[in-house]
């Protein structure tokens, strides 16, 4: 029962992964200050699959996730969503972003809005949903992330772990096809990180399609179909958790894992 092997089949789109990056290149700066951050990235995420990005700070994980969410323009290559290249200027970026959800390390919630209103803002304002139906959906999602009792609280009344669970809840509103998670636990104490990671494992078990950057190798091992090790803008090594974490083939991968302890 491998989730990885059956993940590519999509109705009407046999074998097309949900997300494909082809030769993605991104540089920052110009002239002597030019810095290649993504240097020809090829990556696939099939439906119901979880791909985990690992690599040292500065290796390009956030840039890659932001590029997929069309927050960074790429210099070359393709970002295919369901086979359609979304990294071109003709594409409606908001329509693409509606199919994706990106959660960052911190500052994900609107501080002046209660948790419930954080979840219903986009449906009500952008999609003109009536309040009762938007709130019914929001309550269902809050229940799923274990925050029913915090619906009326403001973000600063929540623990860091609750804030991130609320942020993930907000990301789930509207049923995104792909969840992009950028080090969502790295600002949290281990105990609070644990409750967020447990939530992500539960979403994973439900078949949520995810592309995740993390430093938590134990979590990566549990959640990943594929681990992708980024180094100096390239995919240096990739494979199953056992392949990459237990039997790394490249010196840079070994060094990275050794430093993490
Ligand atoms: P990671 O998430 O793996 O730590 P990032 O994608 O944040 O890596 O950063 C990769 C590299 O790109 C770093 O060297 C960083 O300094 C650089 N970088 C990221 N964003 C910008 C930016 N807006 N302008 C210039 N350089 C940037
Ligand atoms: Mg980052």
């Amino acid at each position: 029962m491998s989730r990885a092997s059956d993940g590519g089949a999509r109705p009407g789109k046999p074998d097309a992964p949900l997300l494909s990056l082809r030769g993605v290149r991104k540089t920052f700066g110009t002239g002597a200050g030019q810095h290649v951050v993504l240097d020809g990235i090829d990556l696939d995420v099939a439906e119901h699959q979880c791909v985990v990005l690992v690599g040292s700070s500065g290796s390009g994980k956030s840039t890659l996730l932001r590029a997929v969410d069309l927050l960074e323009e790429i210099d070359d290559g393709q970002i295919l969503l369901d086979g359609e290249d979304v990294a071109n200027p003709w594409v409606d970026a908001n329509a693409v972003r509606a199919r994706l959800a990106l959660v960052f390390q911190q500052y994900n919630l609107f501080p002046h809005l209660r948790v419930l209103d954080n979840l219903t803002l986009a449906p009500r304002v952008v999609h003109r949903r009536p309040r009762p139906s938007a709130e019914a959906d929001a309550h269902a999602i809050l229940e799923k992330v274990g925050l029913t009792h915090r619906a009326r609280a403001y973000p600063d009344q929540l623990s860091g772990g609750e804030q991130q669970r609320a942020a993930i809840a907000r990301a789930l509103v509207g049923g995104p096809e792909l969840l992009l998670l950028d080090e969502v636990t790295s600002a949290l104490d281990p105990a609070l990180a644990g409750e967020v990671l447990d939530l992500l494992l539960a979403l994973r078990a439900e078949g949520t399609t995810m592309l995740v950057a993390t430093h938590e190798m134990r979590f990566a091992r549990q959640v990943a179909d594929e681990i992708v090790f980024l180094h100096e803008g390239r995919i240096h090594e990739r494979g199953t958790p056992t392949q990459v974490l237990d039997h790394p083939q490249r010196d840079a991968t070994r060094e990275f894992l050794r430093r993490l302890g």
Side-chain angles (χ1 to χ4, degrees):
M1 230 209 44
S2 160
R3 288 173 302 204
S5 61
D6 65 9
R10 296 173 58 68
K13 309 231 178 198
D15 303 329
L18 178 60
L19 176 73
S20 282
L21 274 57
R22 288 291 173 266
V24 168
R25 200 177 146 79
K26 173 73 184 175
T27 56
F28 285 114
T30 51
Q34 197 182 53
H35 177 188
V36 182
V37 174
L38 300 175
D39 191 7
I41 300 292
D42 294 327
L43 186 114
D44 289 333
V45 186
E47 200 177 12
H48 307 306
Q49 210 189 16
C50 177
V51 174
V52 173
L53 304 169
V54 302
S56 310
S57 178
S59 60
K61 303 179 297 294
S62 295
T63 304
L64 192 157
L65 291 169
R66 290 170 51 80
V68 172
D69 207 34
L70 307 186
L71 297 170
E72 286 304 343
E73 213 174 307
I74 59 172
D75 301 320
D76 201 5
Q78 294 181 307
I79 297 175
L80 302 159
L81 191 60
D82 249 343
E84 183 199 2
D85 188 359
V86 296
N88 82 56
W90 316 118
V91 163
D92 175 356
N94 287 328
V96 173
R97 279 190 211 116
R99 302 175 59 184
L100 312 172
L102 173 60
V103 182
F104 314 94
Q105 183 176 331
Q106 53 194 144
Y107 309 121
N108 286 292
L109 298 168
F110 301 117
H112 60 292
L113 293 181
R114 295 173 194 275
V115 168
L116 186 67
D117 298 326
N118 261 278
L119 268 68
T120 59
L121 183 71
R124 288 172 46 217
V125 174
V126 183
H127 305 292
R128 313 263 163 172
R129 293 270 308 278
R131 185 189 283 268
S133 91
E135 291 193 348
D137 284 359
H139 279 298
I141 295 170
L142 286 174
E143 185 177 350
K144 185 165 153 154
V145 305
L147 286 179
T148 298
H149 61 299
R150 304 305 259 150
R152 303 275 162 202
Y154 285 94
D156 67 3
Q157 298 171 320
L158 305 181
S159 73
E162 288 174 331
Q163 287 185 29
Q164 273 308 52
R165 284 191 284 139
I168 292 163
R170 196 181 62 184
L172 295 172
V173 167
E177 293 164 64
L178 175 64
L179 203 50
L180 306 166
L181 302 165
D182 193 1
E183 310 248 10
V184 294
T185 61
S186 51
L188 302 176
D189 297 339
L192 298 179
E195 70 185 46
V196 175
L197 297 175
D198 285 346
L199 168 61
L200 298 179
L201 288 169
L203 292 174
R204 175 77 192 94
E206 285 178 10
T208 309
T209 310
M210 302 198 265
L211 179 58
V212 182
T214 187
H215 275 118
E216 306 263 0
M217 290 307 129
R218 224 157 50 94
F219 166 68
R221 185 188 291 278
Q222 288 173 287
V223 83
D225 291 298
E226 181 180 48
I227 292 186
V228 168
F229 174 61
L230 283 176
H231 182 66
E232 295 174 350
R234 299 196 180 173
I235 295 179
H236 215 63
E237 185 155 349
R238 71 198 322 159
T240 62
T242 308
Q243 285 169 333
V244 176
L245 302 181
D246 299 333
H247 305 285
Q249 300 297 305
R250 311 274 304 259
D251 287 343
T253 322
R254 288 192 198 103
E255 171 67 13
F256 168 74
L257 294 171
R258 197 184 54 72
R259 271 188 289 116
L260 283 179

